[in-house]
Amino acid sequence: INSELLRSYYQEAYVPGNCILSVVGNVLPDQLMAEVEASFGQLESGTPTAAPAPILNSPSRKFNQVDDSMAYIRAAIPITTSQDNIAAWAIAAEVLSNALQDEIRAKRGKAYRLGAWLNEMKGVSFIEIGVGTRDENLVEIEQVVREIVDAIPELDPADQMIQDTANSLVGHELRFRQRRINRAYYPGWRHWQGLGIEFETGYIDRLKKVETESVKELLQSMLNSDQWFWSVAASEDVSQ
């Protein structure tokens, strides 16, 4: 990354069409709109754009030394999401999480925290993995996680698993939405990530309609582990 790239990105992305202005307090709407217009009205709206997903040409792994008897593994891959596929991606991430749980926790018993999830953002989202284990298990567990990631295209979730996962996510979304509505300040974190204040309503509807084949297609499109970002924290990088 250099200064020219940063300036170019700033000029393209930091435009009114990509921004949300929120005002809370004892204000007069007409007066507020006049002040907003005076401050920002001269700016060109620009075209709303999503940041492009980075293309990884080589493995990316960072090690962080920590004074701890536990080791932590994080991995992430950027994916292109839209209103049409974001619900299917969320279920695909849960399918991956189940595969990790079955192998590392149920069969090996070597993780105290473990999971995969979708971090939703506008245009480009991330599938993320988090694992906590003991230092002495680091080499084995990191290798197992990589093997599971490489086998994602071969995962073959049954219709009932997809339905159960969708129902679980719907329940989570309903609880999340209710907590947010009950707060004095309505917008949630997804609002600030550009997904919009009505995101949950449409998302819940789409979760209820996801088909098994659409999830399988996304799983089959996943890149191998060498194309993921990896971050490992432990007292010693014994894998090297």
Side-chain angles (χ1 to χ4, degrees), residues 146-157:
R146 288 178 177 270
E147 290 173 357
I148 293 173
V149 168
D150 288 335
I152 290 175
E154 302 171 13
L155 295 176
D156 188 24

Side-chain angles (χ1 to χ4, degrees), residues 50-51 53 77-90 118-127 195 199 218:
I77 186 75
I79 55 175
T80 301
T81 50
S82 65
Q83 294 281 355
D84 294 331
N85 68 15
I86 196 167
W89 270 120
L118 177 68
N119 186 359
E120 311 102 331
M121 288 181 279
K122 183 179 179 181
V124 176
S125 301
F126 289 83
I127 288 184
L195 294 173
F199 172 79
L218 295 179

Side-chain angles (χ1 to χ4, degrees), residues 16-68:
N18 274 346
C19 298
I20 298 172
L21 175 64
S22 297
V23 180
V24 177
N26 185 18
V27 296
L28 299 174
D30 292 341
Q31 180 181 344
L32 172 64
M33 291 306 298
E35 293 179 0
V36 170
E37 181 66 27
S39 298
F40 303 107
Q42 75 278 12
L43 299 176
E44 296 184 7
S45 62
T47 302
T49 57
I55 299 174
L56 308 182
N57 296 317
S58 61
S60 178
R61 181 183 185 275
K62 181 178 181 181
F63 174 76
N64 301 282
Q65 189 169 21
V66 294
D67 185 15
D68 198 334

